[in-house]
Amino acid sequence: MSFTGTRDYIASKELQLAVNAAITLQRPLLVKGEPGTGKTMLAEEVAKSLSTELIPWHIKSTTKAQQGLYEYDAVSRLRDSQLGDPKVQEIGNYIVKGKLWQAFTADKRPVLLIDEIDKADIEFPNDLLLELDRMEFYVYETREVIKASQRPVVIITSNNEKELPDAFLRRCFFHYIRFPDKEEMASIVNVHFPDLKKDLLNQALESFFNLRELPGLKKKPSTSELIDWLKLLVAEDIPAEVLRNKDGKQAIPPLYGALLKNEQDIHLFEKLAFMARR
């Protein structure tokens, strides 16, 4: 099993090495990076590359580790017992399999995505240590052990909203997806817009990277926002000449609302553009 990127996902050499190292070591791959740099998409493309199933587990602030194993639906069992349903005699009918259970019992080695793990409570990663290490867990209600017949490829993403416990980090192979440079970004854009005029691409990238370099931005525009912006430029048939910077780095590009996502950054940008014109 080897990952080299796909037609739809440009992976750097460092990222390819990280994915393959995690697969070889049979360790979870912990991926960090700016929002919009393709962390979640990485798991999808690894599954495609390996021709296997993707089992996504998207984490929320209310998610508990137990939900990834299984949940016992006691309410449904009580209701069915009141209705005289004979299936209440079998407690297994009320065990809801979680994402880890699905991954452990898959016919073919799957890719398990634990997405945005830093959204959950600080104890969430520690509560999964044993299960991810031993690849097994115990179901108390049915008194059975669920053990992985083959270790899934586990990819865990984090936006760095909170620090993860050291004990959890020790069990992972870590990779930080650095932001692409202009050459790499041009390759990524080419995947989405293979027929984009070179002049428009160059001018759009120039404006985009100039915007990212502005001091004081609360949120720098990401790769996904660049793709959205280019889609709008193509849809509106905006020529490259409109993007050419005549007033320095602070010239306002068209449709900049696709790039800037909060009012503080928009006000800062407009202020800097006004000062540059003066």
Side-chain angles (χ1 to χ4, degrees), residues 30-33 39 114-118 156-162 164:
L30 174 60
V31 183
K32 292 186 179 183
K39 299 185 295 296
I114 304 178
D115 195 29
E116 297 188 333
I117 194 172
D118 51 325
I156 303 170
T157 72
S158 170
N159 285 328
N160 235 2
E161 291 183 9
K162 62 170 70 81
L164 299 174

Side-chain angles (χ1 to χ4, degrees), residues 4-205:
T4 57
T6 67
R7 184 182 65 181
D8 299 322
Y9 190 90
I10 305 298
S12 66
K13 291 293 184 183
E14 293 82 5
L15 181 55
Q16 293 177 34
L17 287 171
V19 171
N20 293 321
I23 292 174
T24 300
L25 294 173
Q26 297 189 339
R27 295 273 189 181
L29 173 63
L30 174 60
V31 183
K32 292 186 179 183
E34 289 184 31
T37 49
K39 299 185 295 296
T40 301
M41 191 177 179
L42 171 66
E44 299 169 0
E45 296 304 319
V46 169
K48 286 182 186 178
S49 174
L50 303 179
S51 300
T52 192
E53 178 187 9
L54 172 69
I55 300 177
W57 186 17
H58 301 291
I59 307 303
K60 301 178 181 179
S61 59
T62 55
T63 304
K64 302 299 180 185
Q66 180 64 32
Q67 295 171 313
L69 309 180
Y70 70 93
E71 292 183 277
Y72 170 48
D73 191 355
V75 175
S76 292
R77 193 181 189 201
L78 175 61
R79 184 190 62 237
D80 289 346
S81 67
Q82 293 171 339
L83 297 173
D85 194 321
K87 74 176 185 180
V88 299
Q89 302 302 321
E90 179 55 56
I91 195 171
N93 292 326
Y94 302 93
I95 299 295
V96 181
K97 297 178 181 180
K99 298 296 185 178
L100 267 71
W101 188 326
Q102 295 173 33
F104 287 2
T105 57
D107 293 333
K108 184 179 179 181
R109 187 183 188 186
V111 173
L112 172 64
L113 167 64
I114 304 178
D115 195 29
E116 297 188 333
I117 194 172
D118 51 325
K119 280 187 176 179
D121 183 85
I122 188 62
E123 291 304 320
F124 179 89
N126 281 337
D127 291 342
L128 288 176
L129 283 179
L130 190 62
E131 288 77 15
L132 290 177
D133 203 23
R134 295 186 179 179
M135 287 289 161
E136 66 178 47
F137 61 89
Y138 185 70
V139 183
Y140 292 94
E141 289 79 3
T142 60
R143 299 179 183 178
E144 62 180 323
V145 176
I146 304 301
K147 189 170 185 177
S149 54
Q150 49 196 344
R151 280 182 172 262
V153 177
V154 181
I155 297 179
I156 303 170
T157 72
S158 170
N159 285 328
N160 235 2
E161 291 183 9
K162 62 170 70 81
E163 289 295 324
L164 299 174
D166 288 345
F168 181 79
L169 294 174
R170 282 199 300 272
R171 288 165 170 81
C172 297
F173 189 93
F174 173 76
H175 181 74
Y176 183 86
I177 299 181
R178 63 178 180 80
F179 199 81
D181 58 26
K182 285 185 181 180
E183 184 178 343
E184 291 170 327
M185 190 64 82
S187 299
I188 293 171
V189 169
N190 188 57
V191 170
H192 297 271
F193 303 98
D195 300 321
L196 190 66
K197 294 178 181 177
K198 192 170 183 180
D199 192 24
L200 178 59
L201 172 61
N202 291 336
Q203 291 300 324
L205 289 179

